Amino acid sequence: MNSRLPREFFIALAINMTAYVSITLFFLYPLVLTLRGLSPLAIGVAWIIFEVVLLAGRPWNQAFLARHGTRSGMILGNILMISGICLLVTFPPLPLVLLGRGLQGLGWGLFSVANPLHLARVLPPDARGRGFGLSGLSPLIPQIFLIPPAEWLILDGQHRAPLLAGLACCTAALALSRLLKERGEPEREGTSFIQALRLAWRRPDLRVLLLSGTLFALGAAPVMPFIANAAREWSTTGSAFLLPSGLAALAVRFLLGHLVDRKGTRLLLPAFGSLVTGIIIATWGASTAAFVVGGSLHGVGTGLTFPLLYAVLSKRAPKSEYTAVFTLYGTAVDLAWAVAPLCISSLAGNLGYGGILRFVGLGLAAAVAAMKLFAWQILED
């Protein structure tokens, strides 16, 4: 029987949920900048600076968390995000917009490692799948339920309303973070980010987990931002894929997270297979019906894969190296999110968004087959 989830988990879950509301609302920030007259190039720079600063801050994230612990990491992460949003909500000139987005990226980079690291340390070993499944609701709920009304407010001229809501949520997350108990473990002294990468890469199981995290991110990063563009080419709507995907992932993480604790790594192939099959059905079917079926399968796959990889990572990583390993895993995921959209945008000019996404699906299927044949057996329970 699964262990009871501790009170500390629910505090960290509430913090994660409120912080994700803020980050999700900022998916609409390019629309705000467009309506305020900024050029596409300026908007692109304002968007990508978030990811650039986030990735560049990873060595600092590791050092700070190893020295000060996860509670301090979440507190400082929220303070940095609040500072950035306070600047952005004034609609400053472009240089200050870049500064605000950079502060946001630095804060989110720290927070997004500190929160799952805290969860890994407080969750009972036989309830990690259930715990990380519930934590995985944090990015989905605001995406499904808050983006439509926030978009309506912006189009109605209320440009500041979603930004102020994001500011309020970050402030709530900061207040909740102070209720946490400090979580830190003895860390390997003087291990730099590069040294940690070398040490993790020498361990076959950790190397496979880093590659699996990258593959998981690539199941979303090239597809989710551009499926609506592809849908236009096929005379359908992106929401026919995105809404079933989000709802299926929400249901799986809420209802079936416990399967991760029971089945463990036996779920790797079904989870990744469902994710990739959904992309292939949607992009090669190229119709509303194919989008609904493909999106649902994609959501089932992402719903299972998120808690599964975090649960296996928590089990396999030495506790004395949790900070380094969780930072590396977060970096692998974020790197895919930074690079993949740029590659898709550059290739879509020749092949169209629909054409390139079809090849993405086939490439991901080949990668899943290769991981099954040559890598995942290392992780077998």
Side-chain angles (χ1 to χ4, degrees):
M1 183 179 293
N2 283 340
S3 297
R4 227 175 137 181
L5 295 172
R7 175 178 177 272
E8 186 84 353
F9 163 78
F10 290 103
I11 297 173
L13 176 62
I15 295 166
N16 201 30
M17 187 73 71
T18 49
Y20 256 111
V21 169
S22 177
I23 287 296
T24 301
L25 289 174
F26 268 85
F27 285 158
L28 295 171
Y29 193 58
L31 176 61
V32 172
L33 295 181
T34 298
L35 294 175
R36 298 193 71 83
L38 268 70
S39 69
L41 177 61
I43 294 169
V45 173
W47 185 254
I48 198 64
I49 194 69
F50 177 94
E51 290 286 352
V52 170
V53 174
L54 185 153
L55 289 169
R58 286 305 191 197
W60 171 71
N61 297 160
Q62 178 189 324
F64 183 91
L65 292 171
R67 188 174 298 116
H68 299 289
T70 52
R71 176 178 180 270
S72 297
M74 281 185 265
I75 288 173
L76 181 57
N78 276 297
I79 289 172
L80 289 168
M81 286 192 284
I82 288 169
S83 301
I85 299 172
C86 285
L87 191 57
L88 295 170
V89 80
T90 65
F91 301 128
L94 182 60
L96 293 180
V97 168
L98 299 183
L99 176 60
R101 288 290 289 164
L103 287 170
Q104 252 192 322
L106 191 63
W108 183 248
L110 183 59
F111 179 90
S112 62
V113 175
N115 191 273
L117 177 58
H118 194 89
L119 294 179
R121 286 176 170 158
V122 303
L123 284 169
D126 62 346
R128 284 173 178 154
R130 189 156 53 106
F132 278 113
L134 292 174
S135 177
L137 301 178
S138 300
L140 293 174
I141 290 176
Q143 179 180 328
I144 294 170
F145 297 108
L146 295 183
I147 287 290
E151 184 178 13
W152 179 83
L153 283 172
I154 290 171
L155 294 175
D156 192 49
Q158 306 296 319
H159 298 173
R160 283 191 173 88
L163 309 187
L164 290 171
L167 179 61
C169 286
C170 268
T171 304
L174 175 61
L176 289 169
S177 296
R178 298 183 179 278
L179 301 178
L180 293 170
K181 297 176 183 177
E182 188 58 79
R183 290 287 167 176
E185 300 286 343
E187 300 283 344
R188 187 189 296 270
E189 289 295 328
T191 303
S192 69
F193 184 78
I194 299 300
Q195 288 172 324
L197 176 59
R198 287 173 181 164
L199 290 169
W201 200 254
R202 287 177 193 153
R203 278 192 50 167
D205 55 347
L206 295 183
R207 181 170 66 244
V208 170
L209 281 167
L210 293 177
L211 292 173
S212 298
T214 303
L215 181 58
F216 169 57
L218 290 174
V223 178
M224 305 301 271
F226 303 113
I227 195 70
N229 301 70
R232 287 188 64 191
E233 298 172 10
W234 297 324
S235 301
T236 184
T237 59
S239 60
F241 179 93
L242 294 171
L243 186 58
S245 177
L247 290 174
L250 188 75
V252 167
R253 291 179 188 179
F254 183 71
L255 299 173
L256 301 179
H258 64 280
L259 286 181
V260 172
D261 301 309
R262 294 181 184 175
K263 303 293 185 181
T265 54
R266 285 174 289 176
L267 290 175
L268 280 167
L269 183 59
F272 276 95
S274 177
L275 188 159
V276 172
T277 301
I279 295 172
I280 292 174
I281 289 174
T283 56
W284 288 88
S287 67
T288 300
F291 267 40
V292 172
V293 174
S296 299
L297 286 172
H298 183 267
V300 170
T302 58
L304 279 175
T305 306
F306 178 89
L308 175 60
L309 290 180
Y310 267 120
V312 178
L313 190 70
S314 302
K315 177 181 177 181
R316 291 280 180 166
K319 288 195 174 181
S320 62
E321 298 175 22
Y322 257 22
T323 300
V325 172
F326 273 76
T327 305
L328 290 170
Y329 181 82
T331 303
V333 171
D334 288 326
L335 189 60
W337 272 100
V339 173
L342 293 176
C343 294
I344 298 300
S345 296
S346 62
L347 293 171
N350 295 322
L351 298 174
Y353 285 103
I356 193 62
L357 290 187
R358 284 174 171 167
F359 284 108
V360 165
L362 295 178
L364 289 172
V368 168
M371 292 293 284
K372 172 59 179 174
L373 291 173
F374 305 113
W376 282 336
Q377 63 267 27
I378 293 171
L379 300 177
E380 288 179 1
D381 294 328

